Amino acid sequence: MKAIKYITIFTMLFVFAGQAQTVKDQKIIDDAAEAKVMLLKADEGLKTFFDESAGYVIFPNVGKGGFIVGAASGNGVVFEGGKKVGMADLKKLNIGFQAGGQAIIEVIFFETKNALNDFKEGKFSFAAEASAVAVRSGLAFNAKYKDGVAVFALPKAGLMADASVGGQKFKYHSFE
């Protein structure tokens, strides 16, 4: 009887833990869909990137903040061929001139399947001097891939004197 009780409790905890992760992931997926709409509304030139890239990752809520020492963090959804294939985590810690806090949408486009696979395999991080193109009407039409990657950022709230994405590290989690 005691064994059945423990098995039941363990099963319930396992089910609820799985649902909590699913609920969290679903919220991020919903936020990413909304972020894509906002990005396209801000600059319709991004449509070409969404349509023609080998894949992309949308981080709908990246929080950045710092005063001399700064950090950034966010969760996103990875798409390949227009289909959701997994989730990603973004982390950054840096030292240098910066002040304030900001919430942004960040999207990373991968020009080739090899560049996307490098991201998925954990072989991808930005060089120290890398920066994102700020999303404003018309800028995406002239934007180009650099080393197989193009990065765009759309500020949501806050103000921060730092536009760099250099030093960001990523983890990929497949849905499979």
Side-chain angles (χ1 to χ4, degrees):
M1 189 65 166
K2 234 180 185 181
I4 293 173
K5 180 179 173 182
Y6 288 121
I7 290 171
T8 303
I9 291 170
F10 177 75
T11 302
M12 288 175 60
L13 288 173
F14 182 75
V15 168
F16 289 130
Q19 286 178 342
Q21 185 61 43
T22 303
V23 169
K24 178 184 174 195
D25 286 352
Q26 189 58 53
K27 171 77 170 122
I28 296 165
I29 291 167
D30 293 344
D31 288 349
E34 187 177 313
K36 182 177 178 181
V37 170
M38 292 172 66
L39 287 161
L40 289 168
K41 187 176 181 179
D43 190 339
E44 63 187 40
L46 288 172
K47 184 171 180 2
T48 303
F49 283 93
F50 280 112
D51 292 345
E52 297 178 5
S53 67
Y56 55 91
V57 57
I58 298 176
F59 294 97
N61 296 301
V62 176
K64 296 171 64 169
F67 185 74
I68 308 300
V69 175
S73 168
N75 297 300
V77 184
V78 180
F79 294 82
E80 184 172 357
K83 296 180 182 176
K84 295 182 292 282
V85 295
M87 304 297 287
D89 301 322
L90 173 157
K91 301 282 186 251
K92 177 182 177 181
L93 181 65
N94 60 345
I95 298 173
F97 175 73
Q98 57 202 314
Q102 186 175 40
I104 65 168
I105 296 169
E106 182 175 320
V107 59
I108 304 169
F109 293 99
F110 302 98
E111 184 176 26
T112 65
K113 187 143 176 77
N114 284 343
L116 176 60
N117 286 340
D118 284 347
F119 178 85
K120 289 165 54 176
E121 294 169 8
K123 299 176 188 173
F124 178 85
S125 63
F126 286 115
E129 72 282 352
S131 61
V133 174
V135 176
R136 288 193 299 263
S137 185
L139 287 181
F141 283 114
N142 297 321
K144 304 281 185 237
Y145 287 98
K146 183 177 178 185
D147 298 324
V149 177
V151 185
F152 297 89
L154 177 63
K156 292 171 70 174
L159 182 62
M160 187 162 179
D162 176 25
S164 72
V165 293
Q168 288 182 348
K169 304 287 184 197
F170 305 91
K171 287 186 183 177
Y172 169 74
H173 313 280
S174 174
F175 285 142
E176 297 176 2

